[in-house]
Each structure stands twice: as C-alpha cells, then as structure tokens.
C-alpha cells in the first residue's frame, strides 16, 4: 500500500455516490458493504460494487462483512474473482480471520486492511498485525470498541485502545488508520483529534464526508520544514550507504532515516 493520509467511506448501497467519492480528493475510498448496507440489500450492493470495479475502478477498498458470517463468506467468494486493490476485514478478531481472507484471495493480489473494533481484536492485535504479508494496514474502529469497553466514544476514554494499535502496527511496520470523526460540522474538533492521533503514531484518518478530507490532509501532511530536513537525512544516508550520520549537527541513525522516508512518502501525496 502506498502511504495514505485519508480514507473516505461511501455506502455500498449508493452506487450513485461512488464516482463522487473518487473525485473528493481522498487518498483512498472505501466502499462499505457492512454497517452502511441493510441486510436485505447486501446482495444488490455487492453486485453493484463488483460491476463498478469491473469497469476499471479497481484502485479502491471494499469493506466486507465479517468473515465468520455467511454474508462475509459470500463477500470473500465474490471478490476473489475481482481485481479490487484492497479489502477491509470488518470486526477482525484474530489472525484466523486474516488467514481466511488470504486463502480466499490466493489467486490475486488483493491487499488487506484489518479493522480492529472488538475486545478480541484488541487482545490479538499484535498477532493479527503479523499474520500475513498481504496486510497493509490496521484500522481502529472506535464506535464498536467504545460499546464493548462500555466507555464514551471520545478521545480520552479510547486512548488506551488506540495506543495498543499503535504498538501493534509499528511492530509489524503497517500503516494505521483512525476512526472517522463523526461530527462533520465540527471542523475544530476534527483538527484537534487528528493532531492528537498524529502525535500518537497514526498515519491516516478515515472520513465519512468529503468535507473532512482537506482538513485531515492539512494536519497529516508534513510541513515544508519537515520535508526539507527529511530530504537532507535521506540524501546523506544514500551518500554514506547507511550507518550513523550527522545532519545539521544531529546524530542520525536508521530509525530517523526510516521516519524521514515516511515523511517524504506522505509529502508526495500533496502534489
């Protein structure tokens, strides 16, 4: 997966919104076949998404239903015949869920995003994160998690759970996507929460409306000063062939070089 800052959800039952979502400026859109689709619309929504992908719109993500459900198994079978770029595993609770998707997609190149939104998923996050080379990212599902934890769906009560995923994603070198900020009219709140999750170690934030994308990008895109320093670090590392360096009077080792490379990858998305 290329570096992303934003992931925009669009309901799988609203095929009229797919093109609009693609044009909203998000780094990746995710067509949702789970929570956003009523039970009696699952089949028709799946067919609409498959048709959309077959028309060449394959650089998208599809959130399928949990793989341990009948409808989730139907999703796996259907998308195993597609060339969609990413599949998000709703309510991913164990490495076995990831392995089930890996097996189903054995004959194509679909990459996976594990949505961690349950206590079991949180308990097994480290194992999930390291379960497959197809796994590109973890995502924090805060709404379901808050219900299971019996806490408020707000930043401070969910800080422990968020932090657990930072550790799991970092240990497996995966990208980490935060839950959407649900009040689309509260831009100040979105800015504050995005700044907090960036400081915590998240690399991207999901959105539920196109109006949120520009704000998310503004917060998560590195500053010109950060980009300039990262360019110096990477150039010095390339010239030295690795090892410990000194850039602008500061000692630079491999973790800082890797961080600088990530900054440049994210900065490239702004152009």
């Amino acid at each position: 997966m290329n570096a992303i800052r934003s992931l925009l959800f669009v309901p799988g039952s609203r095929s009229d919104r797919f093109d609009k979502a693609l044009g909203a400026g998000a780094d990746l859109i995710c067509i949702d076949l789970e929570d956003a689709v009523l039970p009696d619309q699952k089949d028709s929504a799946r067919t609409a998404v498959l048709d959309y992908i077959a028309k060449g719109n394959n650089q998208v993500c599809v959130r399928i239903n949990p793989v341990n459900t009948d409808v989730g198994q139907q999703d796996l079978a259907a998308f195993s015949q597609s060339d969609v770029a990413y599949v998000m595993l709703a309510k991913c609770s164990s490495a076995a869920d990831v392995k089930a998707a890996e097996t189903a997609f054995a004959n194509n190149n679909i990459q996976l995003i594990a949505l961690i939104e349950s206590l079991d998923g949180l308990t097994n996050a480290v194992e999930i994160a390291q379960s497959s080379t197809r796994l590109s990212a973890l995502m924090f599902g805060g709404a379901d998690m808050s219900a299971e934890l019996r806490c408020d769906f707000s930043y401070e009560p969910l800080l422990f759970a968020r932090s657990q995923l930072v550790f799991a994603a970092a240990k497996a070198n995966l990208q980490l996507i935060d839950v959407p900020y649900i009040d689309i009219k509260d831009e100040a709140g979105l800015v504050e929460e995005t700044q907090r999750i960036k400081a915590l170690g998240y690399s991207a934030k999901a959105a539920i409306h196109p109006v949120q994308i520009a704000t998310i990008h503004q917060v998560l895109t590195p500053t010109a000063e950060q980009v300039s320093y990262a360019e110096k670090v990477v150039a010095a590392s390339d010239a030295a062939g690795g090892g410990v360096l000194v850039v602008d009077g500061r000692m630079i080792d491999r973790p800082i070089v890797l961080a600088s490379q990530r900054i440049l990858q994210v900065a490239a998305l702004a152009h």
Side-chain angles (χ1 to χ4, degrees), residues 23-120:
D27 295 330
L28 183 65
I29 73 164
C30 184
I31 304 175
D32 185 14
L33 291 177
E34 193 215 8
D35 287 344
V37 178
L38 295 173
D40 63 353
Q41 296 178 343
K42 296 287 189 183
D43 291 343
S44 60
R46 184 190 305 114
T47 298
V49 175
L50 288 166
D51 288 346
Y52 188 69
I53 293 166
K55 292 175 182 176
N57 305 297
N58 68 322
Q59 292 304 304
V60 299
C61 178
V62 176
R63 176 162 76 169
I64 65 171
N65 293 277
V67 299
N68 60 351
T69 65
D70 289 343
V71 68
Q73 287 294 310
Q74 293 168 17
D75 289 340
L76 285 179
F79 287 97
S80 69
Q81 304 302 312
S82 80
D83 64 345
V84 68
Y86 304 102
V87 163
M88 181 182 291
L89 306 177
K91 296 180 175 61
C92 185
S93 62
S94 69
D97 290 345
V98 180
K99 291 296 185 182
E102 183 180 56
T103 299
F105 301 147
N107 295 323
N108 54 37
N109 296 315
I110 295 173
Q111 294 292 296
L112 304 174
I113 299 172
L115 178 55
I116 310 297
E117 49 188 338
S118 68
L119 298 185
D120 285 342

Side-chain angles (χ1 to χ4, degrees), residues 191-257:
V191 168
E192 180 182 12
E193 186 166 279
T194 307
Q195 288 173 335
R196 285 181 167 187
I197 62 104
K198 177 184 179 181
L200 194 61
Y202 281 71
S203 51
K205 189 160 183 66
I208 54 173
H209 193 282
V211 73
Q212 297 177 311
I213 299 301
T215 300
I216 291 170
H217 286 181
Q218 182 180 8
V219 176
L220 294 181
T221 300
T223 65
E225 182 180 5
Q226 289 172 323
V227 171
S228 177
Y229 184 72
E231 288 174 339
K232 285 184 182 180
V233 169
V234 171
S237 176
D238 290 344
V244 177
L245 313 164
V246 176
V247 176
D248 291 350
R250 296 177 60 189
M251 188 183 78
I252 303 299
D253 55 10
R254 186 171 180 273
I256 296 177
V257 173

Side-chain angles (χ1 to χ4, degrees), residues 1 4 112-115 134-139 174-177:
M1 173 185 270
I4 66 167
L112 304 174
I113 299 172
L115 178 55
R134 285 181 181 260
L135 201 60
S136 296
L138 300 182
M139 180 173 165
L174 301 178
Q175 296 192 63
L176 183 56
I177 308 164

